[in-house]
Amino acid sequence: MSYQLSAVVADVELLRERTADLDHAVLAALRQDFALLPVTPQLVEELTGALPDFAATEPGPEQPFELVLSPALAGLFAGWSRSGPAAYLEAEFSGGLGRQASVVWLGGAVSWGPHFDDVLDAPRGQWPLNAALTRIGAEPGRWLDPFAELGLHLERNTAGWLAHGRRGLSADYWDELAEEWEFGESGDRQQPERPGAVVDWGIP
């Protein structure tokens, strides 16, 4: 099962304020009053006035992201962070193999990262996505790690997050749907498919 992510995560009110006048900004709800903003080519062009640039080679420690964070784009995200921490998260996995990278801005400047990992042999809390989420304020809960706690496993790719945001779904949508089904349906009908555990989404 594959998983792809290219998004900014920050406090929902911060992102609402910064994207209110943008035609191509779609916010998807996460838990703990965070939101996810899928970074699409259309959004990048709207924000910077230029088409996005992508790395010519596979991402690695020297170039952690496939999306090139141009000075204009990085400067804009840094500007948003004057109202609170913001993280850019990028990941691509298939069958348990892949990569993830992140960077965090706070107070108008990079406060952590960028960090890249395609081995993921460190404790889960040190993986780039989890570490970045912790640094923007994600708190521990009943889920496996910050990634799952906020609900980033709920959609598999940018298209899924765009649909999630446009439909106004909550991060607990699948749980709510299952509870509704269990309450209103007999055992003769099949339960709707729900997102698998984090390990099933291509992330070890």
Side-chain angles (χ1 to χ4, degrees):
M1 187 176 292
S2 63
Y3 181 88
Q4 177 270 333
L5 180 69
S6 175
V8 172
V9 174
D11 176 82
V12 61
E13 294 303 327
L14 184 159
L15 289 179
R16 280 177 182 161
E17 178 181 347
R18 297 298 181 170
T19 63
D21 298 326
L22 299 176
D23 293 331
H24 296 289
V26 177
L27 296 184
L30 300 175
R31 299 188 186 97
Q32 298 188 14
D33 294 325
F34 287 98
L36 180 150
L37 173 67
V39 179
T40 63
Q42 295 86 350
L43 178 63
V44 172
E45 185 174 10
E46 184 174 16
L47 289 172
T48 67
L51 291 171
D53 192 16
F54 296 93
T57 59
E58 283 293 313
E62 298 301 319
Q63 169 57 47
F65 303 114
E66 182 178 13
L67 174 66
V68 174
L69 295 180
S70 66
L73 187 61
L76 187 137
F77 293 155
W80 291 2
S81 76
R82 292 189 176 92
S83 301
Y88 174 69
L89 311 178
E90 194 174 284
E92 186 165 351
F93 283 85
S94 181
L97 300 176
R99 58 178 174 81
Q100 57 176 255
S102 63
V103 61
V104 176
W105 295 273
L106 178 62
V110 171
S111 64
W112 183 84
H115 286 278
F116 171 90
D117 196 341
D118 60 359
V119 179
L120 303 178
D121 56 354
R124 296 184 76 95
Q126 297 177 22
W127 296 359
L129 299 192
N130 284 328
L133 294 172
T134 297
R135 281 165 174 77
I136 66 172
E139 298 180 355
R142 65 186 181 93
W143 293 84
L144 179 66
D145 57 15
F147 178 91
E149 185 64 36
L150 265 59
L152 272 79
H153 64 295
L154 294 174
E155 303 294 346
R156 302 179 187 178
N157 51 39
T158 295
W161 285 113
L162 291 172
H164 187 106
R166 287 169 178 152
R167 294 175 64 189
L169 301 180
S170 75
D172 294 312
Y173 167 72
W174 286 102
D175 289 337
E176 294 164 357
L177 187 64
E179 290 173 3
E180 180 180 343
W181 177 88
E182 290 169 355
F183 178 79
E185 300 292 333
S186 71
D188 294 332
R189 297 186 61 181
Q190 189 175 20
Q191 183 170 340
E193 181 183 354
R194 299 172 64 193
V198 175
V199 293
D200 296 328
W201 287 77
I203 297 184

